[in-house]
Amino acid sequence: MKFVIKNYGCQMNVNTAEQIARQLTVAGHQQVTNDALADVIIFNTCCVRNTAEQKILSHIALAKQLKQKKPNLRIAVIGCLSAKRKIKGVDILLGTDDAKQVVEKLGVPTQPLPPVTSETAYIDITYGCENFCSYCIVPFVRGKLRIRPYAEISAEFDQVKDHAQHIYLLGQNVNAYPNFPQLLADLAGRDGNFTLHFLSSHPKDFDEATIKVIAAYPKIARDIHLPLQSGCDKILRLMNRKYTVAEYMAKIACLRSYIPDVHITTDIICGFPGETAADFATTVATVQKIKFNAAYIFPYSNRSGTVADKLDDQVPFQERKVRATKLVEIMRKMS
């Protein structure tokens, strides 16, 4: 069997796609990049933003057209988008982040895999999220927070630490892992020529204990991604982010006091429902005070089923784009 995997979205999806590819390859199947050569096309999907969803749907439509010419072609749609909506005309629709389930659904028995020998390795430590930020579809498609057993994480880490130069601990809310600082310290203290990273953190769970561990262990990367989302307290409340600008800035100050050379990146949403020009100006001022090394800036994207989609005072999409473009330019000059 020849297979194509089309992957979209977060690093957890990257990890899932790699696990699927490894299982299928070990079983004797061949990964290809040309759709026309494939017996199976696997779409590992994301639906965090509408633009991503529409892009994926257009790619699935092209695969359906190919299937008309090649009836034996199988189309599998997995991940967040398949958990969110029914997609007609595909052979497998599976809303899961479990690579083994996907492989078995394709009719291929799973088996123990040899250790990863690539330069970068990913280890899932949590699945799902219960923060329910008002704009986010993830809790509805990924489900409740599930904690991966320590023994599994530890064993997988030991398998990759002598081969991978960069090891990423992953979760929709990675520092919701119980006693996350202790886990970091345990893994970072092991032998091996690796750098340990983690994605993604929620500011409300990112604490001084975690910062102290990062500072104490040279093997932990000094690159911290801490999504701000808005620099205005009113908008943070509407987003249900559970922290204030002052609390966020205190964490940044703590980071820089313990780790002077820290590299801090963030996410910011522009044009959230109820955001006035003055609210946006407050966010700009906050960003200028914090002086991030880089920021991923997006216009707010409506997601049906979320609280934010039903809020009053929706900002026109063109205005969202104008604000995002303005903030990108400000960040570019600062960087």
Side-chain angles (χ1 to χ4, degrees), residues 22 25 27 31-32 41 44 78 101 111 125 184 190 213 223 237 253 273 280 328:
R22 292 180 70 215
T25 302
Q31 186 170 9
V32 297
I41 301 176
N44 190 23
I78 65 172
Q101 284 186 39
Q111 55 188 297
I125 68 168
L184 273 183
R190 299 186 185 186
V213 169
D223 301 313
R237 285 193 299 272
F280 175 67
V328 166

Side-chain angles (χ1 to χ4, degrees), residues 100-231:
K100 289 184 178 180
Q101 284 186 39
V102 175
V103 172
E104 289 168 357
K105 194 73 174 178
L106 290 169
V108 178
T110 57
Q111 55 188 297
L113 294 172
V116 172
T117 57
S118 60
E119 291 185 356
T120 303
Y122 301 100
I123 300 175
D124 294 336
I125 68 168
T126 70
Y127 306 95
C129 181
E130 296 177 9
N131 288 321
F132 288 97
C133 300
S134 65
Y135 53 81
C136 188
I137 196 70
V138 168
F140 303 99
V141 295
R142 289 282 189 175
K144 292 183 178 181
L145 178 69
R146 286 105 66 207
I147 305 299
R148 192 175 179 199
Y150 170 82
E152 290 183 12
I153 297 169
S154 179
E156 187 171 344
F157 189 89
D158 284 340
Q159 283 185 338
V160 303
K161 69 181 179 65
D162 294 327
H163 306 284
Q165 293 181 17
H166 297 275
I167 305 173
Y168 287 81
L169 305 180
L170 301 179
Q172 269 83 32
N173 183 12
V174 71
N175 47 5
Y177 189 91
N179 203 353
F180 180 65
Q182 183 58 50
L183 176 68
L184 273 183
D186 175 26
L187 300 181
R190 299 186 185 186
D191 293 334
N193 185 25
F194 60 83
T195 301
L196 183 61
H197 310 255
F198 55 92
L199 291 170
S200 267
S201 292
H202 193 298
K204 73 177 179 62
D205 298 317
F206 190 80
D207 56 16
E208 187 174 4
T210 300
I211 295 169
K212 286 181 176 180
V213 169
I214 298 168
Y217 288 86
K219 288 181 181 178
I220 303 177
R222 269 54 183 155
D223 301 313
I224 303 299
H225 186 70
L226 199 62
L228 171 63
Q229 303 301 10
S230 175

Side-chain angles (χ1 to χ4, degrees), residues 229-253:
Q229 303 301 10
S230 175
C232 172
D233 283 339
K234 183 189 98 175
I235 300 303
L236 287 175
R237 285 193 299 272
L238 290 172
M239 289 179 167
N240 193 35
R241 290 291 286 172
K242 302 182 178 71
Y243 56 83
T244 65
V245 171
E247 289 168 343
Y248 182 94
M249 292 182 72
K251 292 173 190 284
I252 297 296

